[in-house]
Amino acid sequence: MSRLWTGFRSVFADGMRAFLAYKRALGRHYRAEESALRLLDRFLVERRVSAVDDVTPSLIDDFLVSRPRPAPRSYNHLHGSLVRFFDWMIHQERLQRSPVRSKPRRGTRVRLPFLLDPAAARRLFDVAGRLPDNRSTTCRGSSFRTIFTLLYGLGLRVGEVSRLRVGDIDVTRQVLHIRNTKFAKSRLVPFGPRIGALLTTHLAQHPHRQSLSAEVPVFSRRNGRPISATTISLTFHQLVPQLDLAIPDGAVGPRVHDLRHAFATRTLLRWYRNGIDPRSRLSSLATFLGHVDPASTAVYLTMTPELLSHANERFRTWAELVLEEVPR
């Protein structure tokens, strides 16, 4: 049974509260980082550390060892949260030197996203549409078919779909209003007539359609609460075995977030096919996905064999033109 959280109580309590307030004032949620700081805070209280000078590099190493993190990525997130906190404390002149001396772990494996092709995506939509209602959710098939369509067809984040309200859908203008998402930003996401028809059909079957107000969740449970991002992810994993997917070498089974990767990669591939220079459009894609800069979007642009083929052909054409201009 987890212990009830009563607030930061260690020698760094004031600093931890101020650090989180500062980051959130910049528009960051910092929920995972707060969890890491809570763990450190509890560790320091349990060790009865009463002075800042007693927080030594060896004590921080003991803390990291006390939180087993077999995967480098998980360990590095915990390690990085401490580094950012103590660096901020130094910058604020609350601390003279960081007690974090250990290095992050080297990742031994890069997880490749699994990109569903359109045929596999259609199978996903079909099996989701056949989901039966259960004790917590009615219109389950319509809800999850629409949810996965938005994730794959518009590249939305799972949390963004979970938080959608009826008032966020403008069927006339064909746009979704994505509110207060990552980095506390909002944006408008246009959609086409097929997604518009799907949303209209879903709202007509909505479990609370008799009292639909602007604040009602688009994807709602019987109790009126939204279908959570965790439930969406779990449902996706339950449906994957029915999709008859061939997992390529170097990839693992798909995650629901891979639907967002697939959207970005398909967009880039469409540009190549239409002769559009991706560099001229990358900032537009970043805005559509809700990224603060195009560098963040580049993470999603997985190089598939088809993308590499188009890129190689473009380079070959460019190289031939250059060579023709070289004096012989």
Side-chain angles (χ1 to χ4, degrees):
M1 184 175 176
S2 60
R3 281 173 266 189
L4 182 65
W5 169 247
T6 58
F8 293 111
R9 297 185 295 121
S10 71
V11 293
F12 287 123
D14 290 341
M16 289 176 175
R17 284 190 289 266
F19 172 70
L20 292 172
Y22 167 76
K23 289 296 184 180
R24 285 164 178 164
L26 297 177
R28 300 177 182 272
H29 294 300
Y30 254 55
R31 297 189 187 102
E33 288 78 2
E34 179 180 355
S35 296
L37 293 180
R38 286 188 183 189
L39 293 174
L40 176 62
D41 182 79
R42 189 172 71 193
F43 177 84
L44 296 177
V45 170
E46 291 174 347
R47 289 294 185 97
R48 297 193 171 146
V49 176
S50 59
V52 169
D53 291 341
D54 293 335
V55 182
T56 62
S58 61
L59 186 66
I60 293 298
D61 289 342
D62 288 345
F63 165 70
L64 292 170
V65 170
S66 74
R67 309 303 308 179
R69 296 288 196 276
R73 180 175 179 178
S74 179
Y75 173 86
N76 290 341
H77 186 277
L78 179 63
H79 180 275
S81 297
L82 301 188
V83 169
R84 288 187 289 274
F85 167 65
F86 286 118
D87 285 350
W88 181 85
M89 292 282 285
I90 293 169
H91 183 72
Q92 296 294 311
E93 299 183 353
R94 294 172 180 243
L95 196 65
Q96 291 186 341
R97 191 174 184 185
S98 173
V100 182
R101 304 290 170 77
S102 58
K103 301 296 183 184
R105 292 178 185 169
R106 177 177 295 179
T108 57
R109 179 183 180 187
V110 177
R111 188 199 183 286
L112 298 176
F114 186 95
L115 305 180
L116 270 68
D117 59 26
R122 284 192 292 271
R123 292 198 298 273
L124 171 64
F125 305 153
D126 288 341
V127 296
R130 294 195 295 270
L131 282 170
D133 293 351
N134 57 23
R135 289 184 301 174
S136 65
T137 310
T138 58
C139 299
R140 195 159 164 252
S142 171
S143 293
F144 282 100
R145 178 184 178 86
T146 309
I147 285 170
F148 295 136
T149 299
L150 294 179
L151 294 174
Y152 186 81
L154 298 178
L156 300 182
R157 299 180 178 96
V158 181
E160 293 172 347
V161 172
S162 174
R163 292 190 297 271
L164 273 177
R165 296 294 191 268
V166 171
D168 297 331
I169 302 175
D170 187 335
V171 178
T172 303
R173 296 170 57 203
Q174 294 190 321
V175 293
L176 296 178
H177 192 172
I178 308 300
R179 302 175 189 273
N180 297 320
T181 185
K182 198 170 183 179
F183 307 113
K185 290 182 176 294
S186 299
R187 69 187 190 279
L188 297 176
V189 175
F191 56 81
R194 284 188 293 181
I195 287 182
L198 185 65
L199 287 168
T200 301
T201 300
H202 171 69
L203 291 178
Q205 302 171 0
H206 196 283
H208 304 285
R209 57 186 175 275
Q210 303 302 328
S211 57
L212 277 185
S213 67
E215 293 304 313
V216 171
V218 174
F219 306 107
S220 178
R221 303 171 63 188
R222 290 181 190 268
N223 59 12
R225 295 180 179 176
I227 297 175
S228 70
T230 300
T231 299
I232 293 172
S233 179
L234 289 173
T235 303
F236 176 79
H237 284 292
Q238 291 167 1
L239 296 180
V240 164
Q242 303 178 45
L243 304 184
D244 192 27
L245 301 175
I247 310 298
D249 293 338
V252 295
R255 304 167 302 170
V256 68
H257 193 67
D258 290 343
L259 300 178
R260 182 166 159 91
H261 278 273
F263 170 82
T265 305
R266 289 196 330 274
T267 300
L268 183 63
L269 184 57
R270 186 168 63 250
W271 289 342
Y272 273 121
R273 287 172 174 167
N274 294 335
I276 298 171
D277 183 358
R279 293 174 300 178
S280 66
R281 296 285 188 89
L282 201 55
S283 60
S284 299
L285 180 58
T287 301
F288 192 96
L289 291 172
H291 289 151
V292 294
D293 59 68
S296 301
T297 308
V299 175
Y300 290 84
L301 301 181
T302 303
M303 294 306 291
T304 64
E306 190 172 3
L307 271 179
L308 287 173
S309 175
H310 280 285
N312 287 338
E313 179 61 26
R314 176 163 292 191
F315 176 78
R316 185 186 65 78
T317 302
W318 172 83
E320 288 177 350
L321 292 173
V322 171
L323 289 175
E324 288 177 0
E325 297 176 359
V326 175
R328 297 180 183 273

